[in-house]
Amino acid sequence: MTRGVATGTATGAGFVWDPRIASHVYRDDHPLRPERLIGVHDTLERLGAFARPDARVLAPRAATRGQIERIHAPEYVEAVMQASADPDADYTEWGLDPYGDTPPFAGMHEVSLLTTGGSLVAMEEALAGRLRVAVNYSGGLHHARARRASGFCIYNDPAIVCGVLADRGLRVAYVDIDAHHGDGVQAAFYDTDQVLTISLHEYGPIPGLGRMFFPGTGRASERGRGAGTGYSINVALPAFTDDTAYIRAFDAVVPPLLERYRPDVLVTQQGIDPHFTDPLTDLKISTRTREHVVRWFRSSPYRWVAMGGGGYSLDAVRRTWALEFLIMLGAEVPDELRDADPPVWTGAKRTAVDGSTDQAIREALAAAW
Ligand SMILES: [Zn+2]
């Protein structure tokens, strides 16, 4: 570890929490329900997680305008501020559509400053070496673009964190395990080798519907540009990827590429919409995958900042993110948090999923610098 990153053997884990990051409503029928974090928090409290000596509850602070504008255009921030004060006007040119994925709602700017600031607080704690990891489950809003809201995301906190770290001269590895491609983060660092982005996600036509799974990007051939060529890595997984296939893909791509890249900081987006009960996606992983992946993050030698992301099955969100935080703490995981009977394919389905996954692995590795 060089370039001013604290070294040490911090063991604790920080959990960003404030009831205000779990109380906003995008729209009454909207699938992203920030209240889902209350279940995660209350489960951890009931299990005594926050009473452990290594646990820290971190209060978020509002991000500054300057931090937001590390990624977003000033005109876009102005539009979000207006939408926040007067959500009934027309903001569709900025990706804010009352009937679409990302509706304007009262107070959206202020709460987004707080969810973004939570990721920045987590970053500072992890970077200073006070904690092994700090996680902001209200963050991970990886689809937002410089001038446009997208896919439930208003300000792109993972990109802001990666940008702030890169501005300090640090090498950053961003690993996105949400079901959807981390397109906004990839776009923000497409031209640079200072931020390596790796996204594992569902890619292709939605089974039974034919239209492309959101956002429709994330092929292995999207590998960066100029100095960034080979530093955008995409593992384009097939629908129905189960634990067996997902764990093989993760192990084949993430540890070896991080070992080669040697980042100063690891930034992870841990959306739990690849869960087999999630209503919006077709990946079929369970808590088994997440135990494996989060244990690997914790065992890695890198400073680590974690964020949430998608997750639309409230019970899967509650159990999996509580389980992940216990692993971050090095605590025992009670069986009540684990999936009892996740899908495991056999026969022709096994062969098909494994074949497509192996192809995704080969293409991702071949795309690397
Ligand atoms: Zn997602």
Side-chain angles (χ1 to χ4, degrees):
M1 295 286 153
T2 55
R3 290 174 282 252
V5 180
T7 55
T9 52
T11 55
F15 185 94
V16 172
W17 179 247
D18 181 318
R20 290 177 294 169
I21 61 178
S23 58
H24 50 303
V25 176
Y26 278 64
R27 193 175 54 221
D28 283 343
D29 65 346
H30 197 280
L32 178 54
R33 293 165 63 184
E35 65 175 349
R36 65 194 174 146
L37 297 186
I38 296 170
V40 180
H41 175 269
D42 290 359
T43 298
L44 286 166
E45 192 155 72
R46 174 170 60 78
L47 294 170
F50 301 125
R52 297 177 65 92
D54 275 357
R56 288 258 314 279
V57 176
L58 303 171
R61 288 188 299 269
T64 66
R65 181 81 185 253
Q67 288 166 331
I68 298 295
E69 291 181 5
R70 174 61 181 78
I71 294 296
H72 296 285
E75 306 91 304
Y76 172 69
V77 180
E78 290 290 337
V80 173
M81 290 171 72
Q82 280 178 38
S84 191
D86 177 17
D88 294 331
D90 183 0
Y91 306 97
T92 47
E93 68 172 299
W94 305 102
L96 297 166
D97 178 346
Y99 307 105
D101 280 349
T102 321
F105 61 90
M108 65 189 299
H109 172 69
E110 290 74 17
V111 77
S112 298
L113 291 182
L114 204 57
T115 59
T116 304
S119 294
L120 289 159
V121 165
M123 178 200 85
E124 295 294 358
E125 291 299 311
L127 203 60
R130 287 189 283 272
L131 295 167
R132 172 68 192 93
V133 58
V135 60
N136 174 26
Y137 278 121
S138 73
L141 300 172
H142 59 169
H143 296 305
R145 299 304 188 103
R147 309 179 61 85
R148 196 170 174 83
S150 175
F152 317 159
C153 302
I154 299 155
Y155 296 142
N156 194 324
D157 60 292
I160 290 166
V161 164
C162 291
V164 167
L165 291 167
D167 291 347
R168 296 185 191 177
L170 300 171
R171 276 165 80 76
V172 184
Y174 171 75
V175 178
D176 186 320
I177 56 172
D178 192 277
H180 299 91
H181 179 221
D183 58 342
V185 184
Q186 174 178 291
F189 304 105
Y190 209 57
D191 297 299
T192 177
D193 60 1
Q194 211 178 347
V195 179
L196 167 68
T197 63
I198 304 177
S199 179
L200 296 90
H201 48 263
E202 178 176 351
Y203 178 82
I206 301 171
L209 289 180
R211 68 181 155 80
M212 285 294 285
F213 184 72
F214 185 85
T217 55
R219 286 164 299 141
S221 57
E222 296 165 27
R223 55 190 295 262
R225 181 169 57 207
T229 304
Y231 294 90
S232 292
I233 304 296
N234 287 294
V235 187
L237 296 167
F240 307 117
T241 296
D242 63 357
D243 288 321
T244 307
Y246 193 104
I247 289 171
R248 196 168 66 250
F250 182 88
D251 287 351
V253 174
V254 178
L257 290 187
L258 263 56
E259 171 88 357
R260 201 196 305 175
Y261 186 72
R262 297 194 155 274
D264 297 305
V265 189
L266 170 65
V267 178
T268 60
Q269 196 275 20
Q270 298 181 189
I272 184 55
D273 47 6
H275 193 270
F276 71 94
T277 62
D278 195 277
L280 264 56
T281 82
D282 311 289
L283 299 183
K284 301 294 174 190
I285 69 144
S286 76
T287 51
R288 195 182 135 224
T289 287
R290 300 305 280 255
E291 277 197 75
H292 178 87
V293 166
V294 175
R295 283 189 200 284
W296 187 83
F297 288 150
R298 186 169 189 269
S299 73
S300 79
Y302 316 112
R303 295 277 168 223
W304 176 25
V305 187
M307 295 155 201
Y312 310 101
S313 159
L314 266 58
D315 183 59
V317 170
R318 181 186 70 77
R319 288 184 297 107
T320 311
W321 282 353
L323 170 150
E324 290 179 358
F325 188 66
L326 290 173
I327 292 171
M328 291 173 185
L329 280 168
E332 289 292 308
V333 174
D335 267 341
E336 67 174 275
L337 300 182
R338 295 190 172 102
D339 290 305
D341 194 19
V344 181
W345 310 128
T346 55
K349 199 159 188 177
R350 170 89 274 139
T351 307
V353 164
D354 284 349
S356 299
T357 302
D358 287 343
Q359 184 183 341
I361 293 168
R362 280 195 303 275
E363 291 178 357
L365 291 174
W369 73 103

